[in-house]
Amino acid sequence: MVNCEWLKVPSASLDDDARAAAEARQGMLTKPPGALGRLESIAIQLAAMQGKEKPSLERLRIVVFAADHGIAAEGVSAFPQAVTAEMVRNFANGGAAISVLARELNAELAVINLGTVVDPGPLPGVSDQKLGASTANFAKQAAMSEEQLARAMNIGRQSAERAVTKGMDLFIGGEMGIGNTSAATALACMLTDVSVESLTGPGTGLDAEGVSHKVKVLQAALDLHRDKIDSPVTALRYFGGFEIAALTGAFIACAQMGVPVLVDGFIATAAALVATKQCPGTASWLLYSHASAEPGHKHIVEALNAQPLIDMGMRLGEGSGAAFTVPLLRLACALHNDMATFAEAGVSGKE
Amino acid sequence: MVNCEWLKVPSASLDDDARAAAEARQGMLTKPPGALGRLESIAIQLAAMQGKEKPSLERLRIVVFAADHGIAAEGVSAFPQAVTAEMVRNFANGGAAISVLARELNAELAVINLGTVVDPGPLPGVSDQKLGASTANFAKQAAMSEEQLARAMNIGRQSAERAVTKGMDLFIGGEMGIGNTSAATALACMLTDVSVESLTGPGTGLDAEGVSHKVKVLQAALDLHRDKIDSPVTALRYFGGFEIAALTGAFIACAQMGVPVLVDGFIATAAALVATKQCPGTASWLLYSHASAEPGHKHIVEALNAQPLIDMGMRLGEGSGAAFTVPLLRLACALHNDMATFAEAGVSGKE
């Protein structure tokens, strides 16, 4: 068991009064009851999280954690490992999907480099917090030392604290790391009853032969370490990545401090699985944005009893699916806050 | 057959060169091929519609057509007929869902009153173009005269023309009319092989007994008129509403003039069905926004071979589902237009 005392802090409570007030308000708005479907439950859920009848999502912080993976040495990715650092540069220069989305959403974007094989050099907006050139190859040994794990989770926690300091209404955690679908898949296998075959997918674009090789590598690694796994964070240490550990720490800390989290796709959902298995109270603070096209995502989502809002066939990571979903949450809030009630508008009710 | 000569004008062609350029661009952006899923095909489709490699959806026109239905006399709605005019007032005063969404999207909102039982009086932003107090009760006779049908479709066409004059990038047609799920259901039954039972739903909120009564009313009306229906627009005349005819005319005219249309839920999709059955070229200009919670919607969507973008369990009408989806189309364009290419960003390709 890794020593991370702060994980024992309980999650913040939701506000039942604000929830009840928001529920009552939905019933008075000029529409047939329930006609806004999930938009109604989103607004009510956010009201309970933010402790006010009329929630808002103006201020938004996106943190992308980047790191390389030792498991890449086993040939489990379609792209070369240099791409992790190259994409960190692309984030900083504003050319990546998440950079474009952050601009469009008027969101704050921060990038944290937790360890890339290639050093991208100093970059504006990128915080260098390297814990190593990459994780170790978990086909052979634990991906992280206890110290690396604790530091990575703490970096995630600090990101969440910064969101609180800055008065953010919502936190999105993204990731970049060649090889990280392998890490997320192994983690999810360890923490659910789903088979390696069901959870393993093409990631950035493996062909069928590549996926079959990935399954073999992951199965062997699971068999090698299984007996040593005595907790969710120990699974994280053996199979995870620096960026997945940072996401896990950020999600748990957001829940402790009462900041709503919008969870991205496959990798982020695996981190959410670790977070909620380790600290079950975290679950109340997580909203799931999109169904990833990575085939294993649906199994992790089921294990979490989560219902992603949209399915656009995305499988990019970076937090892009979560960011893409933000306008829907914002519009759900606008409708909840700004529609007239039957009384205000002088509209007749149901007969 | 109704005399609407302008319906014979062919639909505009899509731009194959712009489509090819957009497809090539998607292949060069810094992401694994296909990783943005449907966002890629949306951007490519809009490029072909707008005739430019980089499409945009800044300028947006929403027109809500309101009208009452004679079929309401048969007790097929959970809300009283006075609500149609009351909601027209709510649109004008900015309190309805579509009013809120139009403000949030910075969209132009126009309301056209084609005939309400109660006169809402003169209202800012509402154009009074009444064709009668309501349609006739189609349980007993055709809902519209030939002249009413022609005028209603022409009002829709004029709305589309105004969108062109104003340089709009996208058209959304909404509707309001107590009783209009009955009209849309009868129309869809007439134009597809789906049974009345499968297509009929609760609308604004009928209970099971109410739905069962609605099925009987619609089945009897279909049996009464079936032999007289010799074309899609004749079905529209017998079973439709003024607002459904206006939507149909608007969709056909948008396609003729090359304006992309974002189709809303149950009622608008029924209008799209009439439009594409009457003028098949219209289909290329219609994008489907959301899957309605009205149970028959999925059957109409299937008949159209359409794939709505999202499913949020909405069933409000007014164009609200389409408006709600606009930010997703805008973000798909922003990603397509503003992401860096592999060459620009110096990112390595697939191994």
Side-chain angles (χ1 to χ4, degrees):
Chain A
M1 178 62 193
V2 177
N3 180 15
C4 292
E5 281 299 311
W6 66 273
L7 295 178
K8 294 180 185 160
V9 175
S11 297
S13 301
L14 299 183
D15 186 325
D16 289 335
D17 292 343
R19 184 204 305 276
E23 271 171 0
R25 178 168 175 77
Q26 277 291 337
M28 295 187 293
L29 299 177
T30 44
K31 58 178 176 57
L36 286 176
R38 289 193 72 182
L39 283 57
E40 302 186 9
S41 51
I42 290 168
I44 292 165
Q45 212 174 343
L46 286 168
M49 288 175 174
Q50 297 187 347
K52 48 188 179 188
E53 183 187 337
K54 296 188 173 184
S56 72
L57 293 177
E58 282 314 299
R59 296 176 61 80
L60 166 63
R61 184 170 165 85
I62 305 171
V63 184
V64 181
F65 302 98
D68 269 316
H69 290 256
I71 193 71
E74 303 296 325
V76 289
S77 178
F79 278 78
Q81 207 165 23
V83 166
T84 306
E86 289 165 358
M87 284 302 295
V88 169
R89 252 182 241 122
N90 199 21
F91 297 146
N93 294 334
I98 194 63
S99 322
V100 173
L101 292 168
R103 279 200 298 278
E104 293 292 319
L105 298 172
N106 197 22
E108 198 179 281
L109 175 63
V111 180
I112 300 181
N113 185 348
L114 295 153
T116 49
V117 167
V118 176
D119 185 348
L123 291 164
V126 178
S127 165
D128 190 341
Q129 304 198 38
K130 281 200 192 142
L131 305 175
S134 79
T135 49
N137 181 352
F138 70 74
K140 298 183 173 157
Q141 64 187 97
M144 288 175 255
S145 68
E146 297 213 353
E147 195 200 330
Q148 283 175 321
L149 172 66
R151 285 176 63 196
M153 292 187 75
N154 205 49
I155 289 168
R157 176 198 183 194
Q158 286 165 349
S159 292
E161 283 171 348
R162 211 155 301 130
V164 173
T165 311
K166 294 191 165 209
M168 292 292 160
D169 300 314
L170 186 72
F171 181 89
I172 289 177
E175 43 57 48
M176 174 69 218
I178 293 300
N180 68 5
T181 60
S182 291
T185 302
L187 257 177
C189 280
M190 201 60 227
L191 300 178
T192 66
D193 293 330
V194 187
S195 69
V196 179
E197 287 79 8
S198 301
L199 276 169
T200 307
T204 51
L206 290 176
D207 58 14
E209 197 183 340
V211 173
S212 163
H213 171 66
K214 188 170 163 183
V215 167
K216 278 183 205 137
V217 169
L218 296 182
Q219 189 62 65
L222 284 160
D223 294 342
L224 177 65
H225 300 305
R226 191 180 307 274
D227 293 347
K228 288 159 271 179
I229 310 302
D230 59 3
S231 75
V233 292
T234 306
L236 182 59
R237 180 163 93 76
Y238 271 84
F239 301 109
F242 299 144
E243 82 285 38
I244 299 175
L247 284 170
T248 305
F251 294 166
I252 293 170
C254 278
Q256 291 174 344
M257 295 182 290
V259 178
V261 174
L262 188 57
V263 180
D264 191 36
F266 190 70
I267 312 297
T269 307
L273 182 69
V274 182
T276 56
K277 291 271 181 188
Q278 184 72 37
C279 306
T282 304
S284 307
W285 293 90
L286 306 183
L287 300 160
Y288 291 85
S289 60
H290 83 116
S292 167
E294 180 71 7
H297 189 239
K298 63 174 177 291
H299 298 294
I300 312 183
V301 161
E302 263 172 40
L304 284 160
N305 197 21
Q307 282 87 36
L309 291 167
I310 59 171
D311 181 356
M312 305 295 284
M314 297 171 78
R315 50 178 175 81
L316 179 56
E318 304 177 5
S320 61
F324 187 73
T325 315
V326 166
L328 303 186
L329 302 186
R330 283 181 172 165
L331 288 180
C333 290
L335 288 163
H336 178 82
N337 298 343
D338 299 340
M339 277 178 72
T341 63
F342 281 98
E344 285 164 358
V347 172
S348 309
K350 215 166 155 177
E351 280 187 320
Chain B
M1 177 65 193
V2 177
N3 180 15
C4 292
E5 280 300 312
W6 67 273
L7 295 179
K8 295 180 184 158
V9 175
S11 296
S13 301
L14 299 182
D15 186 325
D16 290 335
D17 291 343
R19 184 203 303 276
E23 271 171 0
R25 178 168 176 77
Q26 276 291 337
M28 294 187 293
L29 299 177
T30 44
K31 58 179 175 57
L36 286 176
R38 289 193 72 182
L39 283 57
E40 301 186 8
S41 51
I42 290 168
I44 292 165
Q45 212 174 342
L46 286 167
M49 289 175 174
Q50 296 187 347
K52 48 189 180 189
E53 183 187 336
K54 295 186 174 185
S56 72
L57 292 178
E58 281 315 298
R59 294 177 60 80
L60 166 63
R61 186 170 164 83
I62 304 171
V63 184
V64 180
F65 302 99
D68 269 318
H69 290 257
I71 194 71
E74 304 295 326
V76 288
S77 178
F79 277 79
Q81 207 164 23
V83 167
T84 306
E86 289 165 357
M87 284 302 295
V88 168
R89 253 184 240 122
N90 200 19
F91 297 147
N93 294 334
I98 195 63
S99 321
V100 173
L101 292 168
R103 279 200 299 277
E104 293 290 321
L105 299 172
N106 197 22
E108 198 179 281
L109 175 63
V111 181
I112 299 180
N113 185 348
L114 295 153
T116 50
V117 168
V118 176
D119 185 346
L123 292 165
V126 178
S127 165
D128 190 341
Q129 304 198 37
K130 281 200 191 139
L131 305 175
S134 79
T135 50
N137 181 350
F138 70 74
K140 299 181 173 161
Q141 64 186 98
M144 290 174 254
S145 68
E146 298 214 353
E147 195 200 330
Q148 283 175 320
L149 173 66
R151 285 177 62 197
M153 292 187 75
N154 205 48
I155 288 168
R157 176 200 185 193
Q158 286 164 350
S159 292
E161 283 171 349
R162 210 156 300 131
V164 173
T165 311
K166 295 190 163 207
M168 292 293 160
D169 299 315
L170 186 74
F171 181 90
I172 289 176
E175 42 56 48
M176 174 68 217
I178 293 299
N180 69 5
T181 59
S182 291
T185 302
L187 256 177
C189 279
M190 201 61 228
L191 300 178
T192 64
D193 294 330
V194 188
S195 70
V196 179
E197 287 79 8
S198 301
L199 277 169
T200 306
T204 50
L206 291 175
D207 58 15
E209 197 184 338
V211 173
S212 163
H213 171 67
K214 187 170 163 184
V215 167
K216 278 183 205 135
V217 169
L218 296 182
Q219 189 62 65
L222 283 160
D223 294 343
L224 178 66
H225 300 307
R226 191 181 308 274
D227 294 346
K228 290 160 270 181
I229 310 303
D230 59 3
S231 75
V233 291
T234 306
L236 182 59
R237 180 163 93 76
Y238 272 84
F239 302 107
F242 299 145
E243 82 285 37
I244 300 175
L247 284 171
T248 305
F251 293 166
I252 294 170
C254 278
Q256 291 174 344
M257 295 182 290
V259 178
V261 173
L262 188 57
V263 179
D264 191 35
F266 190 70
I267 313 297
T269 307
L273 182 69
V274 182
T276 55
K277 290 270 182 189
Q278 185 72 35
C279 306
T282 304
S284 307
W285 293 90
L286 306 183
L287 299 161
Y288 291 86
S289 59
H290 83 116
S292 167
E294 180 71 6
H297 188 237
K298 62 174 178 291
H299 298 294
I300 313 182
V301 161
E302 263 172 39
L304 284 159
N305 197 21
Q307 282 88 36
L309 291 167
I310 58 171
D311 181 354
M312 304 295 285
M314 298 172 77
R315 50 177 176 81
L316 180 57
E318 307 178 5
S320 61
F324 187 74
T325 316
V326 166
L328 303 187
L329 301 186
R330 283 180 171 165
L331 288 180
C333 290
L335 288 164
H336 178 83
N337 298 343
D338 299 340
M339 277 178 71
T341 62
F342 281 99
E344 285 164 359
V347 172
S348 309
K350 214 166 155 176
E351 280 187 318

